[in-house]
C-alpha cells in the first residue's frame, strides 16, 4: 500500500511563515514584538536541544526570546522566585520551564507557580481544566501540534476510533480529551491505553488513528496495526549510529520501516510531530501577546 508522510517539517515551516508575516504586520502597526522566555535548569542534552530549537523558532518568526539558565543545584524557592519575576515582567508575554527538573524539585509545584495567563506550555491546572471543558485555554503543545498536522492533511477524526498509547499529562491525557471533544478536529471515539492495558495489540489493531506516545523505542510493530491506519509517532529516542556524521540517529515509538508500508499516513521521526510541537508553542505565545485566551 502507498503511504503518505505527514511532513511536520514542511507544515511547521508554512505555519511559521504565516506567523512571521503576522508579526511583521503587528510591528508595522507599532505593536510590540511578542516575547517568549524559557527557564532551563542544568545542562541535560535533550533539554538543551529542545530549548535551542524553541529559541531558533522565535528568531524565525520575529519574536523576542530570552533564556534564563539556572544551575542544576538551584533550590525550589530560588526557581519559584525566577518564575514570579517572569509572572510580573510586563515585557514577557509567555514563558516555559523546560522539563524534566532535578528530582528534588516538585514539577507540580513549579507548574502551579506559573501565572496561567503566561503558561504557554498549557501545563497549569487552570489551563488543563479550561481545555477539558472547552473554554479558551493554552493547550499543551504536542497534542495541539498533532491536531494541526492532521488538520492540514485533512485527516478526518469525526467518528473514527483513535487509540492513544501513553497517558502522560503532556501528551496522552490532553490528546484523549481534545480528540473526543465536540469540535471540528475532535468527535473521535478514543481509547487511552497504557502500561497496564491488557490485550493491547487487539485494541491497537482496531485503530483508525494510532498515536504512539509511550516513550519506548520502536514499540509499535506491524502486527499491532490495522492496514490503512493513520500513525502518529510522538517518540524521540537518540541511538548510536555509524551511518550519520553526528554518530547519532533518531528513532520513534514506531518501528517505521515495517509499519509504514501498512498505513495510509505516518509521521516520520525526525520531522513529524517534533517541529509541530515547537510551532504550537509559538502559536500560544502569539495568542498570549494578542490576549486571545485571557
Ligand atoms: N519537556 C519535554 N517536552 C516539553 C514541553 O513541551 N515543555 C516543557 N516545558 N518541557 C518539556
Amino acid at each position: 500500500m502507498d503511504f503518505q508522510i505527514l511532513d511536520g517539517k514542511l507544515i511547521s515551516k508554512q505555519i511559521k511563515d504565516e506567523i512571521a508575516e503576522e508579526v511583521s504586520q503587528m510591528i508595522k502597526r507599532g505593536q510590540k514584538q511578542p516575547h517568549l522566555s524559557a527557564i532551563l535548569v542544568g545542562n541535560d542534552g535533550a533539554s538543551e536541544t529542545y530549548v535551542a530549537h524553541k529559541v531558533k523558532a522565535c528568531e524565525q518568526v520575529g519574536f523576542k526570546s530570552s533564556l534564563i539558565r539556572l544551575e542544576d543545584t538551584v533550590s525550589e524557592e530560588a526557581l519559584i522566585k525566577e518564575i514570579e519575576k517572569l509572572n510580573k515582567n510586563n515585557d514577557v508575554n509567555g514563558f516555559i520551564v523546560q522539563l524534566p527538573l532535578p528530582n528534588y524539585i516538585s514539577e507540580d509545584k513549579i507548574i502551579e507557580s506559573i501565572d496561567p495567563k503566561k503558561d504557554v506550555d498549557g501545563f497549569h491546572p487552570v489551563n488543563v481544566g479550561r481545555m477539558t471543558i472547552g473554554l479558551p485555554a493554552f493547550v499543551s503543545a504536542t497534542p495541539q501540534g498533532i491536531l494541526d498536522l492532521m488538520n492540514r492533511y485533512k485527516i478526518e477524526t469525526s467518528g473514527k476510533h483513535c487509540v492513544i498509547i501513553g497517558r502522560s499529562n503532556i501528551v496522552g491525557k490532553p490528546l484523549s480529551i481534545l480528540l473526543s471533544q465536540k469540535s471540528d478536529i475532535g468527535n473521535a471515539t478514543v481509547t487511552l491505553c497504557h502500561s497496564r492495558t491488557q490485550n493491547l495489540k487487539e485494541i491497537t489493531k482496531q485503530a483508525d488513528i494510532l498515536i504512539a506516545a509511550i516513550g519506548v523505542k520502536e514499540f509499535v510493530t506491524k502486527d499491532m496495526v490495522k492496514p490503512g491506519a493513520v500513525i502518529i509517532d510522538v517518540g524521540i529516542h537518540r541511538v548510536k549510529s555509524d551511518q550519520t556524521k553526528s554518530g547519532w540517529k533518531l528513532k520513534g515509538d514506531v518501528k517505521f520501516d515495517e509499519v509504514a508500508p501498512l498505513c495510509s499516513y505516518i509521521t516520520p521521526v525526525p520531522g513529524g510531530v517534533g517541529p509541530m510541537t515547537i510551532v504550537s508553542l509559538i502559536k500560544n505565545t502569539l495568542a498570549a501577546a494578542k490576549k486571545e485566551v485571557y
Side-chain angles (χ1 to χ4, degrees):
M1 191 184 294
D2 272 350
F3 64 89
Q4 202 180 335
I5 291 286
L6 294 170
D7 191 340
K9 199 170 166 191
L10 176 78
I11 301 298
S12 67
K13 164 104 176 47
Q14 287 173 1
I15 299 174
K16 280 189 283 192
D17 287 348
E18 291 161 17
I19 295 174
E21 175 56 29
E22 186 171 349
V23 172
S24 91
Q25 295 298 328
M26 284 167 72
I27 290 166
K28 270 189 206 145
R29 288 195 298 269
Q31 287 168 271
K32 203 175 93 33
Q33 195 182 17
H35 181 183
L36 173 67
S37 197
I39 298 181
L40 176 58
V41 178
N43 300 93
D44 172 72
S47 292
E48 289 272 358
T49 306
Y50 296 146
V51 169
H53 283 143
K54 291 170 188 179
V55 169
K56 187 170 162 216
C58 283
E59 283 163 15
Q60 288 170 334
V61 298
F63 285 7
K64 180 174 170 183
S65 69
S66 49
L67 175 58
I68 296 157
R69 286 179 169 276
L70 301 171
E71 297 288 329
D72 61 3
T73 50
V74 69
S75 69
E76 197 173 82
E77 299 79 68
L79 176 52
I80 290 175
K81 275 214 177 98
E82 287 297 331
I83 290 171
E84 283 167 354
K85 273 197 233 163
L86 292 175
N87 283 342
K88 285 192 204 124
N89 183 343
N90 286 332
D91 189 54
V92 173
N93 299 107
F95 68 94
I96 63 154
V97 179
Q98 186 65 30
L99 304 178
L101 292 168
N103 52 20
Y104 61 89
I105 295 178
S106 157
E107 286 188 354
D108 288 343
K109 204 164 156 191
I110 293 306
I111 289 167
E112 282 195 85
S113 66
I114 298 171
D115 180 347
K117 296 185 178 65
K118 293 195 176 184
D119 168 40
V120 284
D121 256 334
F123 292 169
H124 191 285
V126 166
N127 280 313
V128 178
R130 290 176 63 96
M131 177 275 292
T132 301
I133 58 174
L135 289 174
F138 292 117
V139 174
S140 181
T142 303
Q144 187 61 53
I146 292 170
L147 296 181
D148 287 347
L149 185 60
M150 290 202 291
N151 195 31
R152 292 255 170 166
Y153 280 89
K154 300 195 168 19
I155 291 172
E156 182 65 82
T157 55
S158 181
K160 302 293 179 192
H161 187 188
C162 292
V163 175
I164 302 167
I165 318 175
R167 57 181 155 184
S168 69
N169 285 345
I170 297 183
V171 184
K173 216 182 285 178
L175 198 51
S176 71
I177 293 161
L178 292 164
L179 279 167
S180 56
Q181 226 154 33
K182 196 168 183 171
S183 79
D184 290 344
I185 48 171
N187 286 322
T189 304
V190 177
T191 304
L192 184 57
C193 300
H194 46 76
S195 54
R196 302 292 172 93
T197 298
Q198 292 182 352
N199 308 324
L200 180 66
K201 202 194 293 184
E202 281 168 32
I203 299 169
T204 59
K205 272 190 95 75
Q206 295 169 31
D208 301 309
I209 300 171
L210 179 60
I211 299 166
I214 191 171
V216 178
K217 181 168 66 84
E218 298 184 317
F219 181 83
V220 174
T221 46
K222 64 180 180 195
D223 53 322
M224 298 169 73
V225 174
K226 177 166 85 172
V230 175
I231 308 286
I232 307 289
D233 189 347
V234 183
I236 305 181
H237 309 274
R238 226 158 60 131
V239 293
K240 285 213 164 101
S241 167
D242 51 19
Q243 292 158 7
T244 63
K245 245 201 253 169
S246 66
W248 296 97
K249 204 172 169 179
L250 291 181
K251 296 272 182 190
D253 285 359
V254 176
K255 207 163 190 177
F256 185 92
D257 291 346
E258 68 172 51
V259 170
L262 271 178
C263 28
S264 52
Y265 293 90
I266 186 166
T267 60
V269 177
V273 173
M276 293 303 296
T277 296
I278 302 219
V279 133
S280 303
L281 177 67
I282 295 292
K283 277 174 62 180
N284 279 348
T285 306
L286 183 63
K290 290 163 73 184
K291 302 201 175 353
E292 279 177 351
V293 178
Y294 293 98

